[in-house]
Amino acid sequence: MGFDLDRAFTEAQDPATAGGHPDPPKRVGFFTDTSVCIGCKACEVACKEWNAIPDGGLTFTGMSYDNTVGLSADTWRHVAFVEQPRRLGDQEAGLTTMDLPGRITEQARARTPVSLGMPTAGPPDGQVGGARDMDFRWLMASDVCKHCTHAACLDVCPTGSLFRTEFGTVVVQEDICNGCGYCVPACPYGVIDKREDDGRVWKCTLCYDRLEVGQEPACAKSCPTDSIQFGELDELRERAARRLAQLHRAGVGSARLYGHDPSDGVGGTGAFFLLLDEPEVYGLPPDPVVTTRDLLSMWRHVAVAAGALLAGLAAVTWGSRS
């Protein structure tokens, strides 16, 4: 198991140390700033190329430009395109980190939005569900395995296929996986998935092979806007807090951090996000809890019930003999 369940939820402990690494390096992870994601999918492509992940099928899903739908055994990085009914002129400004001259900023604020002739979201006849020009915005976000501090997938794996690395990340050893699938429902984020052709489970490894030789993960390396930032987790959390404060000062009140809090239901995640709307909008659970949290108490109650049952049977047996 990745954690001693007796201590997992009562003691603050580095996950790599709890995973059996006596002198691990500092924990690393991802900070994904969705406010600068442009939906280019470079991270998806880089992930597939580096990890030799098979093609999941380039099909039209009807979900905007999202052709991968969600994380799966064949999609370890997923770029979501969330369309919202909000006029372009009412979108929040101040998302850029660039410092522009005051004159240019004032001119931009005074400018009247102009339609560029974007096609409507409705059918060709425009009679049902049509969208007027500039009546929607896109929220884009690159999702990935969260590499939880308290990882339920580790707790339920019977073969040790899932293990905690010295970097604090969670990796699947596909040659040890027996395809039992216990980890699939155990994940509170729905990340782990079985591959249909061989029955084994697969997910993001945070490019463990690259970390071992001092390289950053392929997705972060390929991100052109630094939406995906890789580094030591403590430093990333400080950077995320500064970025959040910057957006709030700029008037982006909807900005929030997700997965950064070590006191949440999974002990904080190794891959956390800056979002511009509620987590549910991005397909993320609002209050995730590690699914094995109550496992020990459940077994204790079972043991007590079994003991009471045996005591009752013994009493009945001895009573009938006497």
Side-chain angles (χ1 to χ4, degrees):
M1 291 186 181
F3 252 96
D4 183 340
L5 289 179
D6 285 317
R7 300 177 297 163
F9 306 106
T10 58
E11 298 181 11
Q13 190 175 18
D14 178 78
T17 303
H21 302 280
D23 188 23
K26 289 188 176 181
R27 187 181 181 186
V28 298
F30 288 127
F31 164 46
T32 301
D33 183 351
T34 69
S35 69
V36 294
C37 178
I38 59 175
C40 66
K41 288 181 174 281
C43 55
E44 282 194 14
V45 175
C47 178
K48 279 186 173 289
E49 287 185 344
W50 180 261
N51 295 290
I53 303 173
D55 177 19
L58 298 176
T59 57
F60 178 71
T61 64
M63 298 171 59
S64 184
Y65 292 102
D66 187 349
N67 65 321
T68 47
V69 181
L71 296 174
S72 69
D74 295 334
T75 302
W76 299 358
R77 266 282 179 188
H78 166 242
V79 178
F81 290 77
V82 180
E83 294 185 19
Q84 292 184 321
R86 182 177 299 186
R87 282 189 59 80
L88 180 61
D90 294 334
Q91 289 193 68
E92 295 163 314
L95 300 183
T96 179
T97 59
M98 296 185 297
D99 294 324
L100 298 175
R103 178 178 56 83
I104 296 178
T105 302
E106 292 302 322
Q107 289 177 351
R109 288 176 177 172
R111 190 173 299 132
T112 302
V114 177
S115 172
L116 299 178
M118 291 291 289
T120 64
D125 59 13
Q127 297 301 313
V128 179
R132 298 187 301 277
D133 286 344
M134 305 183 303
D135 264 9
F136 66 93
R137 73 167 181 174
W138 278 317
L139 297 178
M140 302 172 187
S142 181
D143 195 12
V144 71
C145 172
K146 312 308 179 291
H147 297 276
C148 305
T149 299
H150 302 316
C153 57
L154 290 176
D155 296 332
V156 301
C157 180
T159 66
S161 171
L162 280 148
F163 74 99
R164 181 81 66 176
T165 74
E166 65 270 30
F167 302 103
T169 59
V170 179
V171 173
V172 180
Q173 300 175 97
E174 62 271 13
D175 56 332
I176 301 178
C177 177
N178 67 356
C180 69
Y182 294 162
C183 57
V184 176
C187 176
Y189 297 96
V191 167
I192 306 181
D193 185 40
K194 270 190 177 185
R195 192 169 288 170
E196 293 183 1
D197 58 350
D198 65 10
R200 296 176 295 176
V201 300
W202 305 78
K203 73 171 192 67
C204 161
T205 67
L206 218 145
C207 285
Y208 182 42
D209 53 344
R210 294 175 65 93
L211 299 186
E212 288 183 304
V213 294
Q215 296 184 1
E216 65 179 325
C219 56
K221 184 74 173 178
S222 66
C223 182
T225 64
D226 278 339
S227 173
I228 303 172
Q229 302 175 36
F230 167 78
E232 294 179 1
L233 199 57
D234 290 339
E235 195 278 329
L236 288 177
R237 284 171 175 162
E238 294 176 0
R239 188 186 308 175
R242 292 194 299 269
R243 176 61 173 155
L244 181 66
Q246 179 187 40
L247 290 178
H248 285 172
R249 286 194 302 270
V252 187
S254 62
R256 71 203 68 200
L257 294 178
Y258 178 84
H260 70 296
D261 186 3
S263 63
D264 67 11
V266 297
T269 59
F272 65 100
F273 304 80
L274 187 150
L275 306 178
L276 296 179
D277 210 323
E278 298 287 346
E280 300 94 318
V281 172
Y282 297 85
L284 297 169
D287 189 19
V289 174
V290 58
T291 52
T292 54
R293 180 185 61 180
D294 300 321
L295 192 59
L296 282 178
S297 62
M298 290 168 59
W299 281 113
R300 291 191 184 106
H301 284 96
V302 169
V304 170
L309 177 61
L310 290 175
L313 289 175
V316 170
T317 301
W318 286 108
S320 63
R321 289 180 179 180
S322 59

